[in-house]
């Protein structure tokens, strides 16, 4: 049977599958974005190949990044952030230094190039704002002290992306041009000045305040702020993602911020679905299989090493043990900006296309496993108070209840599908 517009039909099937997978994950109290990623993996070039144009996928992913940062900026409470900015700055600097240092050590063991080690180190240092916020929201810990500290660290990491991109670009010529250094200094000064001004009083935007009474126009006004600020930042030779974040910060500190955030929420949900779906679509399963050892090693570095590094940083800042442990585990994944850093490294000829696939593979796996890792570490923390003798007993305490629940569901499903047996066999 001939199908009219097969590419459009395939895109519709992929979008519908992503929504279903996201809903399924939400039903099991997991972030819906994990479902979007899994849908992309199954239906993308490495799976059923319903979507095969990776260039178009990357473009859509970049729009999702802009909208994500715009919403993060709108939801930023500057007064709360300024109260913990020292903690966030120290933790972020330690994460970057530790991750890059660990990658440089692995370089000698695995024979990596200097460019690959630095790109991987920078990518590993950045956590996922979307995943962590969703996890904190689902556990009702977003507005707790540990939640506010975690969000502040995420914001500091997002702001650190611009200097890291500059460093990667400078590594191509092995020199930092004065113009590039000035660009980073200017971006930091703008950010500091903006935070100082907005923490003192809210802005009044007359045109935006007139548009909030119209649902369509207020939604378009929010999108105009997002993409307009991103375009202006790009024209000034700074990161468009940086501009989208600043646009969100400005709009989030106006009297109309709650209304505009509510109106922009549906568009954000669609673009975020497209973004995380595109992450799954970009995954190359064949590459993972051929380089399974390296991928698993990096995944262990992201989870175990990064958890320990985060907990150490927060304990050095005199955070109590439960808060440091929860925040450290929640931050133990690679974030959305790893793709921007990988593309910057690729454009600067620091890494090849094959090495870019390594960054994508580790990022996708860490995002998918992040809720499971947090769930495991929370239970491990509780089990630590009980005397456990054998490894089997440890696994039983960690996953025994869940395994029994799954077994009961599977048994009931099997009985329902089999139906009653004939000739009185049930008797």
């Amino acid at each position: 049977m001939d199908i009219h517009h097969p590419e459009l039909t395939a895109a519709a099937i992929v979008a519908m599958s992503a929504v279903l997978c996201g809903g399924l994950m939400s039903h099991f109290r997991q972030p819906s974005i994990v479902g979007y990623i899994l849908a992309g993996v199954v239906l993308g070039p490495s799976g059923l190949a319903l979507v095969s144009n990776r260039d178009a996928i990357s473009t859509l992913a970049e729009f999702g990044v802009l909208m994500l940062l715009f919403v993060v900026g709108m939801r930023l409470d500057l007064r709360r952030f300024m109260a913990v900015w020292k903690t966030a700055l120290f933790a972020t600097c330690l994460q970057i230094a530790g991750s890059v240092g660990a990658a440089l050590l692995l370089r000698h063991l695995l024979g990596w190039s200097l460019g690959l080690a630095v790109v991987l180190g920078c990518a590993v240092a950045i956590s996922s704002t979307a995943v962590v916020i969703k996890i904190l929201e689902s556990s009702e810990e977003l507005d707790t002290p540990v939640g506010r500290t975690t969000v502040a660290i995420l914001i500091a990491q997002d702001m650190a992306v611009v200097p890291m991109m500059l460093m990667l670009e400078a590594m191509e010529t092995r020199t930092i041009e004065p113009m590039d250094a000035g660009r980073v200094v200017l971006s930091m000064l703008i950010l500091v000045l903006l935070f100082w001004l907005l923490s003192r009083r809210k802005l009044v935007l007359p045109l935006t305040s007139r548009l909030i009474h119209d649902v369509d126009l207020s939604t378009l006004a929010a999108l105009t702020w997002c993409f307009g600020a991103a375009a202006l930042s790009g024209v000034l030779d700074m990161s468009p993602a940086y501009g989208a974040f600043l646009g969100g910060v400005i709009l989030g500190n106006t009297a109309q911020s709650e209304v505009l955030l509510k109106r922009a929420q549906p568009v954000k949900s669609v673009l975020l679905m497209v973004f995380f779906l595109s992450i799954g679509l970009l995954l190359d399963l064949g590459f993972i299989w051929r380089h399974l050892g390296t991928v698993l090693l990096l995944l262990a570095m992201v989870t175990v090493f990064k958890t320990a590094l985060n907990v150490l940083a927060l304990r050095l800042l005199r955070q109590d043990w439960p808060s440091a442990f929860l925040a450290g585990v929640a931050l133990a994944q690679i974030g959305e900006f790893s793709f921007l850093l990988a593309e910057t490294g690729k454009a600067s000829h620091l890494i090849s296309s094959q090495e870019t696939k390594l960054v994508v593979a580790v990022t996708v796996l860490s995002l998918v496993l992040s809720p499971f890792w947090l769930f495991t570490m929370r239970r491990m923390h509780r089990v630590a108070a009980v005397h456990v003798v054998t490894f089997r007993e440890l696994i039983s305490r960690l996953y025994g209840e869940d395994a029994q629940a799954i077994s009961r569901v599977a048994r009931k499903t099997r009985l329902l599908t089999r139906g009653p047996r004939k000739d009185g066999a049930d008797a």
Side-chain angles (χ1 to χ4, degrees), residues 52-292:
S52 57
N53 189 344
R54 280 194 165 98
D55 293 333
I57 294 168
S58 299
T59 302
L60 289 174
E62 291 174 3
F63 278 104
V65 170
L66 295 182
M67 197 65 191
L68 170 64
L69 275 180
F70 177 71
V71 173
V72 169
M74 284 194 69
R75 299 177 68 171
L76 172 63
D77 189 325
L78 284 178
R79 293 182 179 178
R80 289 182 176 180
F81 177 77
M82 297 302 289
V84 295
W85 73 270
K86 293 181 180 179
T87 299
L89 180 62
F90 177 81
T92 299
C93 291
L94 185 59
Q95 287 165 351
I96 295 173
S99 299
V100 173
L104 291 174
L105 290 176
L106 288 176
R107 174 197 173 199
H108 298 289
L109 297 175
L110 301 176
W112 292 343
S113 64
L114 177 62
L116 177 59
V118 175
V119 170
L120 279 172
C122 291
V124 168
I126 305 300
S127 303
S128 172
T129 302
V131 169
V132 176
I133 288 178
K134 285 291 184 182
I135 290 175
L136 292 175
E137 284 179 342
S138 63
S139 60
E140 299 181 352
E141 292 169 316
L142 186 60
D143 290 328
T144 63
V146 62
R148 291 192 288 270
T149 300
T150 304
V151 172
I153 294 173
L154 290 169
I155 293 170
Q157 290 179 352
D158 293 342
M159 291 187 292
V161 170
V162 175
M164 286 194 288
M165 291 175 68
L166 170 65
M167 180 186 69
L168 295 178
E169 292 171 355
M171 286 183 64
E172 182 181 10
T173 58
R174 301 192 181 280
T175 58
I176 298 180
E177 298 293 335
M179 185 64 71
D180 293 333
R183 182 179 59 182
V184 173
V185 172
L186 177 63
S187 66
M188 293 297 103
L189 287 177
I190 292 174
L191 192 64
V192 172
L193 179 62
L194 185 64
F195 275 30
W196 180 76
L197 289 174
L198 295 178
S199 62
R200 297 171 66 87
R201 63 186 179 89
K202 288 185 176 293
L203 295 178
V204 178
L205 303 174
L207 179 59
T208 304
S209 62
R210 294 193 189 99
L211 297 178
I212 62 171
H213 302 292
D214 189 299
V215 175
D216 295 331
L217 290 178
S218 58
T219 302
L220 292 175
L223 293 179
T224 300
W225 268 98
C226 173
F227 297 117
L232 179 61
S233 181
V235 169
L236 295 176
D237 203 21
M238 292 187 287
S239 168
Y242 172 79
F245 173 72
L246 290 186
V249 171
I250 294 173
L251 205 60
N253 284 271
T254 63
Q256 302 82 28
S257 59
E258 292 186 6
V259 176
L260 291 173
L261 182 60
K262 183 179 180 180
R263 300 283 168 78
Q265 194 71 24
V267 181
K268 184 213 75 167
S269 299
V270 172
L271 287 178
L272 282 188
M273 183 202 73
V274 172
F275 170 70
F276 287 103
L277 177 65
S278 66
I279 292 177
L281 292 170
L282 290 170
L283 187 67
D284 189 336
L285 294 177
F287 175 86
I288 294 179
W289 181 252
R290 293 191 300 271
H291 303 84
L292 185 61

Side-chain angles (χ1 to χ4, degrees), residues 329-347:
V329 175
L331 292 166
Q333 78 286 121
I334 301 181
E336 300 80 24
F337 286 118
S338 63
F339 298 99
L340 291 180
L341 294 170
E343 289 298 323
T344 301
K346 182 180 176 182

